[in-house]
Amino acid sequence: MKGCRPLTEPEVEILQQSVGGVYAARDRALFLLGVKSGFRISELLSLQLGDVWQHGRLVERVTVQRRHMKKKLEGRTVLLHPEAKAALATWLLALRQMPATTAQTFVFRSRKGQNRQITDRCILSLIFFVC
């Protein structure tokens, strides 16, 4: 995108501190995972609990399957940044306590419906880059 630049660390800090409300843990985890991993929003929203929580603990590397990638040529695995891992762990603690949570539950699920991912239209309030 013309004129865009990556966020600086102080800007990332300000944005993650500005997240609030009932779903603050979810939104903070989504924001930090996006900023620290480089995954597209559609790739992040495709993550299911089984992709990030295995053998009773949070995984070290997150893998987005090939079918969820932009060109669908190959999947991608990224080492979790410590900040993103901490935010994701906080959100997963709350998510796993919700009823009907299975390995197929979307990590960033919607309030609407039984197990639906939030839409990218809901993400407009989160800023992933500064133009």
Side-chain angles (χ1 to χ4, degrees):
M1 290 184 165
K2 185 178 179 182
C4 288
R5 61 176 174 75
L7 292 173
T8 63
E9 283 302 317
E11 290 170 336
V12 169
E13 186 66 31
I14 289 168
L15 286 171
Q16 72 172 326
Q17 296 302 324
S18 68
V19 175
V22 176
Y23 289 93
R26 178 194 70 186
D27 296 344
R28 186 172 291 116
L30 180 61
F31 173 73
L32 283 174
L33 194 56
V35 168
K36 301 294 183 179
S37 71
F39 283 126
R40 292 177 173 84
I41 189 64
S42 60
E43 296 163 357
L44 292 172
L45 295 179
S46 73
L47 291 174
Q48 295 179 337
L49 191 57
D51 297 330
V52 295
W53 187 266
Q54 297 173 358
H55 310 294
R57 62 185 178 90
L58 191 60
V59 296
E60 295 293 320
R61 299 173 189 274
V62 173
T63 300
V64 173
Q65 298 172 4
R66 183 179 93 181
R67 69 175 179 257
H68 300 297
M69 298 300 288
K70 184 175 181 180
K71 294 185 179 180
K72 300 180 184 353
L73 297 177
E74 59 184 275
R76 193 168 122 217
T77 301
V78 173
L79 183 66
L80 275 178
H81 187 276
E83 286 181 56
K85 189 173 184 178
L88 191 57
T90 302
W91 169 238
L92 291 181
L93 181 65
L95 180 65
R96 291 178 48 237
Q97 294 174 355
M98 293 180 187
T101 302
T102 66
Q104 288 76 34
T105 301
F106 285 106
V107 174
F108 303 109
R109 74 180 194 186
S110 173
R111 295 178 294 161
K112 301 173 185 171
Q114 195 70 345
N115 184 29
R116 295 172 52 186
Q117 64 191 22
I118 58 177
T119 64
D120 54 356
R121 292 178 191 236
C122 295
I123 307 302
L124 293 176
S125 62
L126 292 176
I127 301 170
F128 285 95
F129 53 85
V130 176
C131 291

